[in-house]
Amino acid sequence: MDAFSRVLGFVGVSFLLAGLIGCNAADPDGDSVNNPDRSNVNLVKGGYDAFAVGDMDGVHGLLAPDLVWYEAESLPYGGVYHGPESVMENIFAAIGQDWSDYAAEPLRYIDGGDHVVVLGEYRGIHNESGGRLKVPFVHIWRMQDGQLVEFHQFTDTAAWISAAGL
């Protein structure tokens, strides 16, 4: 099974989860009858925008003190992280050291009220191997009181490992 097919499976799971948590998966802009002000979608969009321009203080401000972050287990950064500092150091700083021209570009937001599902694409060039990363992702954000309290990442980890030359 190729990388795209594996991630399509993740996308199918995300739409299943979206249905279970009451998301309006048919809306590409994240508008929802259940949440017309789209505040959580806008917060999540702001997080990606901050990351894209290197505003790590802006990213950090979105993370709740009791954050639980699930990074795909077989990635070099994989595992479960607790708290903003752990995520900033073990994921964002590590990615910044290992990759250049790195981007996590959201392509679609699915509004589920307190849950926001984001479909997107990672891109980058590994600094040591020179390998190029271009792989889809599914992110599931759980928001509470304007902050991220739980994050789940789904992606093609084999493509990451290949690009990193591991």
Side-chain angles (χ1 to χ4, degrees):
M1 182 182 305
D2 68 5
F4 188 72
S5 296
R6 284 192 298 270
V7 173
L8 278 180
F10 291 135
V11 170
V13 169
S14 74
F15 280 99
L16 174 64
L17 290 170
L20 292 173
I21 61 175
C23 293
N24 180 359
D27 181 2
D29 295 322
D31 290 333
S32 170
V33 173
N34 298 327
N35 188 5
D37 70 358
R38 299 175 33 193
S39 61
N40 284 329
V41 170
N42 285 336
L43 289 168
V44 170
K45 284 181 179 179
Y48 286 102
D49 291 346
F51 183 80
V53 298
D55 177 9
M56 299 314 287
D57 289 336
V59 172
H60 190 280
L62 189 59
L63 309 179
D66 59 345
L67 169 69
V68 180
W69 184 290
Y70 298 89
E71 192 81 0
E73 197 63 41
S74 59
L75 289 178
Y77 325 104
V80 180
Y81 298 91
H82 298 271
E85 280 66 31
S86 180
V87 170
M88 299 301 286
E89 179 181 329
N90 295 300
I91 299 171
F92 294 128
I95 288 172
Q97 290 175 357
D98 294 344
W99 297 87
S100 59
D101 296 325
Y102 182 83
E105 181 182 351
L107 302 172
R108 182 166 188 177
Y109 296 86
I110 304 168
D111 185 350
D114 289 342
H115 288 82
V116 178
V117 178
V118 181
L119 309 178
E121 182 177 79
Y122 292 122
R123 289 186 312 277
I125 301 169
H126 195 266
N127 291 333
E128 287 186 25
S129 74
R132 293 189 176 272
L133 179 69
K134 185 176 181 183
V135 61
F137 67 73
V138 176
H139 292 163
I140 301 173
W141 297 61
R142 185 167 66 87
M143 304 296 289
Q144 184 176 14
D145 298 326
Q147 290 191 300
L148 175 63
V149 294
E150 188 174 287
F151 175 89
H152 293 264
Q153 174 206 46
F154 301 91
T155 190
D156 181 358
T157 57
W160 275 82
I161 291 167
S162 176
L166 302 175

